[in-house]
Amino acid sequence: MISLNLSPSLNPGLLLHKTRTRLSALPFTNPKPFNHRYPLGLSPIRADSKPLLSVSLTNPVYSSGVSRKPRSIPAAATNSSDSNPDGDYEKPDLGEAEKKEKKAKTLQLGIVFGLWYFQNIVFNIFNKKALNVFPYPWLLASFQLFAGSIWMLILWSFKLYPCPKISKPFIVALLGPALFHTVGHISACVSFSKVAVSFTHVIKSAEPVFSVIFSSLLGDSYPIAVWLSILPIVMGCSLAAVTEVSFNLGGLSGAMISNVGFVLRNIYSKRSLQSVKEIDGLNLYGCISILSLLYLFPVAIFVEGSHWVPGYHKAIASVGKPSTFYFWVLLSGVFYHLYNQSSYQALDEISPLTFSVGNTMKRVVVIVSTVLVFRNPVRPLNALGSAIAIFGTFLYSQATAKKKKIEVGGDKKN
């Protein structure tokens, strides 16, 4: 056992600091000789600290065979003794950097939301313009998926966005969600072709109702607050449908089927794609678009293919310039993909609750914009029903967010 007798009047920290300073001036090419001069492993100690002696050979092994790690000095103390002999240590102020980072993130999120709303408005306006002169939604829906597929292929080919790793299990898992996405997309386009855009979006705000019903049938449970939140949605949609000037049973049915398709897509995606971790939201949507195109276009040829050529000539005659019609169709296809892309980017950056609230406000913006552009007549009761339905979707997003917090809290306790 090693023992050292040090005089109480002698400050070992100050002595070691001076000795180390003198040794640093010697022509050593390797700092290890310092340890040879102090074979007992005396570690340097701050001059302003209490006398402390640390005896620890470099990870010594005792006769019993038990090794013991050497005692270490905190990084702050080591840095301050090396660079500042007086022992003063100032912590850097990170407040300004954090504020700048928060502002930059808020600005980026605002840009994503702004693009999401703007692109959605542009799609709805030019999609409706094209359908007004060319009422064949199966072809237009196919072209929109085609435009999105080409967009993603360009990004992948020129390495503007990382290409996903495609495997057979992934494709098999994606077949179901892509099928339901196809049903939801074509049904919405059929509804757009028969009724006002605003009415379709009011009916599509009832999507949470179908989500709760189908999820409950599959075994999920919801608190009473969630069930109560869907009541104003049902009441508002019913009032809007009864008072809608452009009411059409086909348009109403298309919007309702679209809700069913997208709800089943979301439910099926959670169940079949749980094991898929190597793909992000944007690439996932790109793959779904490609598969949906393969699903939809052959059926589109069968359903309305014989009407496309006569309908095209009527559309050109109605518009006057072929370039105008091409422009409408092109914008509807490009902005359909862009607004979905922006929604996935927004979902990656924010919480599901904020996304749900943003999606609710998006419907309000789209409804108001299309009413102003197409000057659709709106009755007071129709506007009231629309407002009640949209307010119900807001209540639903709040109730489901509380449900998720309760579930997360329960998981942590378990």
Side-chain angles (χ1 to χ4, degrees):
M1 184 173 181
I2 302 173
S3 61
L4 293 177
N5 294 324
L6 296 177
S7 173
S9 61
L10 181 62
N11 189 330
L14 183 60
L15 177 62
L16 289 173
H17 178 73
K18 292 181 178 180
T19 306
R20 185 177 181 182
T21 303
R22 293 174 181 176
L23 288 174
S24 62
L26 296 177
F28 291 138
T29 57
N30 192 329
K32 288 184 178 179
F34 176 77
N35 293 331
H36 296 302
R37 296 292 298 269
Y38 291 86
L40 297 181
L42 290 173
S43 57
I45 304 175
R46 289 173 53 176
D48 59 346
S49 63
K50 295 180 180 180
L52 177 65
L53 182 62
S54 174
V55 180
S56 58
L57 295 174
T58 306
N59 199 16
V61 180
Y62 295 91
S63 59
S64 60
V66 179
S67 64
R68 180 179 174 184
K69 293 183 179 179
R71 296 180 62 181
S72 59
I73 298 175
T78 305
N79 293 338
S80 62
S81 63
D82 290 342
S83 60
N84 190 355
D86 296 333
D88 297 332
Y89 177 74
E90 296 182 359
K91 184 178 180 180
D93 185 13
L94 300 178
E96 292 296 328
E98 292 178 354
K99 289 180 181 179
K100 290 181 179 180
E101 183 179 357
K102 188 175 182 180
K103 288 182 180 180
K105 189 174 183 180
T106 303
L107 178 61
Q108 180 183 3
L109 189 59
I111 293 174
V112 171
F113 262 88
L115 288 175
W116 181 23
Y117 286 16
F118 172 75
Q119 291 160 356
N120 204 302
I121 292 172
V122 172
F123 160 72
N124 280 277
I125 290 175
F126 286 97
N127 182 59
K128 184 61 177 177
K129 282 179 174 290
L131 288 171
N132 284 340
V133 298
F134 187 78
Y136 300 102
W138 290 79
L139 179 59
L140 284 178
S142 299
F143 176 77
Q144 289 156 8
L145 294 173
F146 173 75
S149 301
I150 295 299
W151 183 278
M152 293 304 301
L153 290 175
I154 291 175
L155 293 181
W156 293 334
S157 300
F158 290 94
K159 297 182 180 180
L160 300 175
Y161 199 82
C163 183
K165 297 179 180 179
I166 305 298
S167 61
K168 184 178 179 180
F170 171 68
I171 297 297
V172 173
L174 207 60
L175 292 177
L179 177 61
F180 291 123
H181 178 80
T182 306
V183 173
H185 178 49
I186 182 55
S187 301
C189 285
V190 170
S191 179
F192 286 138
S193 68
K194 295 184 179 296
V195 295
V197 175
S198 56
F199 179 68
T200 300
H201 278 280
V202 171
I203 301 302
K204 283 180 66 63
S205 66
E207 185 175 315
V209 178
F210 295 92
S211 179
V212 171
I213 292 175
F214 283 109
S215 298
S216 299
L217 293 176
L218 293 174
D220 293 343
S221 60
Y222 290 91
I224 188 64
V226 175
W227 288 99
L228 291 176
S229 68
I230 68 176
L231 293 179
I233 300 177
V234 175
M235 294 172 57
C237 289
S238 301
L239 181 59
V242 171
T243 58
E244 175 61 33
V245 176
S246 63
F247 179 81
N248 179 279
L249 185 59
L252 175 64
S253 301
M256 299 288 278
I257 296 173
S258 177
N259 286 336
V260 174
F262 285 128
V263 165
L264 291 178
R265 178 200 64 180
N266 297 337
I267 294 175
Y268 202 93
S269 296
K270 291 179 182 179
R271 295 176 180 269
S272 64
L273 297 174
Q274 283 183 346
S275 60
V276 179
K277 305 295 184 182
E278 67 275 5
I279 188 168
D280 60 2
L282 183 56
N283 279 334
L284 178 63
Y285 178 72
C287 295
I288 288 178
S289 297
I290 296 173
L291 288 177
S292 296
L293 176 62
L294 300 178
Y295 276 132
L296 183 59
F297 188 63
V299 182
I301 296 175
F302 176 77
V303 172
E304 58 181 24
S306 60
H307 303 285
W308 289 346
V309 175
Y312 167 77
H313 292 296
K314 289 181 181 179
I316 298 302
S318 176
V319 175
K321 293 182 180 180
S323 58
T324 302
F325 177 67
Y326 300 154
F327 182 69
W328 291 352
V329 173
L330 181 62
L331 285 183
S332 72
V334 171
F335 278 90
Y336 171 75
H337 178 81
L338 288 180
Y339 93 76
N340 280 286
Q341 174 178 307
S342 297
S343 68
Y344 274 96
Q345 290 176 335
L347 187 58
D348 288 338
E349 297 291 335
I350 60 180
S351 65
L353 173 60
T354 306
F355 181 83
S356 298
V357 175
N359 193 42
T360 302
M361 296 306 300
K362 180 208 71 176
R363 295 203 185 279
V364 176
V365 172
V366 170
I367 289 172
V368 173
S369 301
T370 54
V371 167
L372 294 176
V373 170
F374 296 106
R375 299 181 180 179
N376 300 324
V378 180
R379 297 172 180 173
L381 287 178
N382 183 267
L384 178 62
S386 302
I388 293 174
I390 293 173
F391 180 68
T393 60
F394 173 76
L395 294 179
Y396 169 81
S397 63
Q398 298 289 325
T400 52
K402 291 181 179 179
K403 173 180 177 292
K404 292 178 180 178
K405 287 183 179 179
I406 293 174
E407 292 176 348
V408 172
D411 294 339
K412 289 182 178 180
K413 290 181 179 179
N414 295 332

